[in-house]
Amino acid sequence: MPKMEIELKKEVREELIESIKRYFWSARDEEMTRLGAELLLDFIVNEIGPYLYNRGIEDSYKYMNERIEDLLGLEKRPR
């Protein structure tokens, strides 16, 4: 799968980096450096992110098709 250019807002990126560091501390009892957390975040965004993004697109497509079917059920039939 080709890599996506996903750009995170600075505030979101900072929050995710801190979240990764907290996870490593609480779940693995390891301290992760900021650089390590940044590299892991980049890996997740570039390698795993496209699969999650595509799944979101598929779910949205399915949901919208179901709503369109509902809409067609409201059609008035000519007498």
Side-chain angles (χ1 to χ4, degrees):
M1 176 172 287
K3 290 189 179 181
M4 295 179 62
E5 291 295 324
I6 298 174
E7 214 168 297
L8 301 172
K9 291 182 181 179
K10 183 178 179 180
E11 302 83 33
V12 171
R13 185 171 176 80
E14 292 299 321
E15 187 175 324
L16 293 173
I17 289 168
E18 289 305 314
S19 180
I20 290 170
K21 289 172 68 177
R22 277 192 310 274
Y23 168 77
F24 268 78
W25 182 253
S26 65
R28 302 179 49 94
D29 202 24
E30 294 179 33
E31 188 169 344
M32 176 168 270
T33 65
R34 178 176 175 79
L35 178 59
E38 286 183 47
L39 293 172
L40 181 57
L41 178 59
D42 289 342
F43 172 79
I44 292 168
V45 167
N46 291 319
E47 298 296 328
I48 298 170
Y51 293 99
L52 300 175
Y53 177 87
N54 288 341
R55 178 60 191 260
I57 295 294
E58 291 168 12
D59 289 349
S60 297
Y61 180 82
K62 181 180 176 186
Y63 176 82
M64 293 305 295
N65 276 337
E66 289 170 359
R67 299 296 78 78
I68 288 172
E69 291 296 321
D70 292 345
L71 182 63
L72 291 175
L74 298 173
E75 270 186 320
K76 300 288 184 194
R77 305 285 182 226
R79 295 182 181 198

